[in-house]
Amino acid sequence: MEKAIVLAASAIGAGLAMIAGVGPGIGQGFAAGKAAEAVGRQPEAKGAITSTMLFGCAVAESTGIYGLVVALILLFANPLIGML
Amino acid sequence: MNGPKIIFTIPLFGGIKVTESIVNMWIIMVVMVIVSIWLTRGLKVRNPSKKQLFIEKLVTMLYDMVRDVMGERYMFFAPYIGTLFLLSILGSLSSLLTLRPYTADLSVILTWTVMTFLIIQINNIKNHGVLGWLKSFTEPVAFITPLNIISEIANPISMTFRHFGNIAAGLVITSLVYGGLASLSGALLSWVPNEFLSSIPILQIGLPAILSIYFDLFTSFLQAYIICMLTMVFVQGSGE
């Protein structure tokens, strides 16, 4: 019974942790929109704009990745079951 | 999804476990060494071969990138960046050959980022001296020192999780899709009387390749680029 509760709570927690994906989604969308604007204004600098945007996107992604790591730990390497 | 399998155990210090990731990395390293020896044999100054022109183009691109980001002072750093890039991208792309990508193993990436962390600190000490290095933690005001130390340690951790998380997420999602498609095609083929024919996962043909383009090709390249770029930016910043 206790194990079932812990497992269910871990699954719910993993789902809740992935709400962290909202932030990077907004941020990356904003960055991509700004990059499209920049390319529209200055098409000859497309290469530099694209690489800068990808770099910024990947850095902005890290908070979402932290949420993902928490979810992965809860799903595949759950430390809470060992505490029972 | 399971973790990497343990291939064998070295009976030292109570047993060092050698996992699939390490063995796959050895395979990639051997391939890299053999290809490098093959590519650099018979280099000529006059009328070079196509092979030589190709490899010269790649090396020039790498050196130009390092020159752009880090400046002329750090040109000796280019081979390290190139090796990091090749190890990262070949490791992630090895999932195309059904090997388990070793970049989906936290300890592999952690090794690289700890190396970067040490290089950053050593470069800082070399440029500012030990006292200058210690003093750089108390800037701009003294009471902020703990925060500076935490942010310095958070650097390699965030780099590790970024690379690991992207590749591991791709692995998890791809295996979920494969499992889902297998049971879906099992349901579709349930009217076939033959046991063998109805167990063929027919939907697995072709469909996961679309995911593979993003998760294997695009993400691998992007993460290799990002980890090299961050290494260069941080090392360059520590010498300012």
Side-chain angles (χ1 to χ4, degrees), chain B residues 104-239:
Chain B
D105 193 325
L106 190 61
S107 21
V108 173
I109 316 283
L110 195 62
T111 318
W112 300 345
T113 49
V114 165
M115 263 156 66
T116 301
F117 175 76
L118 292 179
I119 291 171
I120 290 169
Q121 302 308 329
I122 290 168
N123 192 35
N124 205 334
I125 293 174
K126 226 167 82 182
N127 278 286
H128 302 114
V130 177
L131 282 178
W133 172 64
L134 289 174
K135 197 169 167 288
S136 73
F137 285 105
T138 61
E139 278 161 3
V141 271
F143 68 83
I144 215 162
T145 310
L147 289 179
N148 274 335
I149 292 171
I150 290 171
S151 79
E152 203 69 21
I153 293 169
N155 256 347
I157 294 173
S158 92
M159 266 163 85
T160 313
F161 279 142
R162 188 174 301 125
H163 197 308
F164 158 78
N166 270 287
I167 307 291
L171 201 67
V172 172
I173 293 173
T174 316
S175 52
L176 280 179
V177 166
Y178 269 104
L181 287 176
S183 50
L184 203 63
S185 54
L188 269 181
L189 291 177
S190 56
W191 53 273
V192 179
N194 190 321
E195 183 88 0
F196 173 73
L197 279 179
S198 64
S199 69
I200 296 173
I202 195 161
L203 287 176
Q204 279 186 3
I205 302 168
L207 280 177
I210 301 160
L211 278 179
S212 220
I213 291 172
Y214 180 77
F215 284 121
D216 289 330
L217 297 177
F218 181 69
T219 311
S220 306
F221 183 79
L222 191 63
Q223 291 309 315
Y225 174 73
I226 296 295
I227 198 170
C228 291
M229 209 64 176
L230 286 176
T231 303
M232 288 194 285
V233 169
F234 286 148
V235 172
Q236 203 263 344
S238 70

Side-chain angles (χ1 to χ4, degrees), chain A:
Chain A
M1 186 62 196
E2 288 147 341
K3 201 181 172 196
I5 293 173
V6 169
L7 281 177
S10 308
I12 294 169
L16 287 178
M18 284 319 292
I19 295 176
V22 172
I26 295 171
Q28 290 183 349
F30 197 70
K34 284 285 178 195
E37 232 171 67
V39 173
R41 200 174 295 143
Q42 214 175 353
E44 66 274 9
K46 196 178 169 207
I49 291 168
T50 312
S51 60
T52 311
M53 184 199 73
L54 285 178
F55 186 68
C57 279
V59 174
E61 206 177 42
S62 39
T63 47
I65 293 292
Y66 297 155
L68 174 78
V69 170
V70 170
L72 284 181
I73 289 172
L74 282 177
L75 287 179
F76 297 114
N78 198 329
L80 302 174
I81 292 176
M83 286 181 188
L84 285 176

Side-chain angles (χ1 to χ4, degrees), chain B residues 21 24-36 39 58 82-104 108-109 112 163 167 216-217 219-225 227-228:
Chain B
S21 309
N24 286 352
M25 204 160 160
W26 287 340
I27 297 171
I28 297 290
M29 276 154 68
V30 169
V31 170
M32 267 168 72
V33 168
I34 290 172
V35 171
S36 303
L39 281 172
L58 287 186
T83 316
L84 191 62
F85 185 83
L86 276 181
L87 258 184
S88 166
I89 193 163
L90 290 179
S92 311
L93 286 180
S94 67
S95 64
L96 291 176
L97 305 172
T98 69
L99 291 172
R100 188 192 160 85
Y102 55 76
T103 40
V108 173
I109 316 283
W112 300 345
H163 197 308
I167 307 291
D216 289 330
L217 297 177
T219 311
S220 306
F221 183 79
L222 191 63
Q223 291 309 315
Y225 174 73
I227 198 170
C228 291

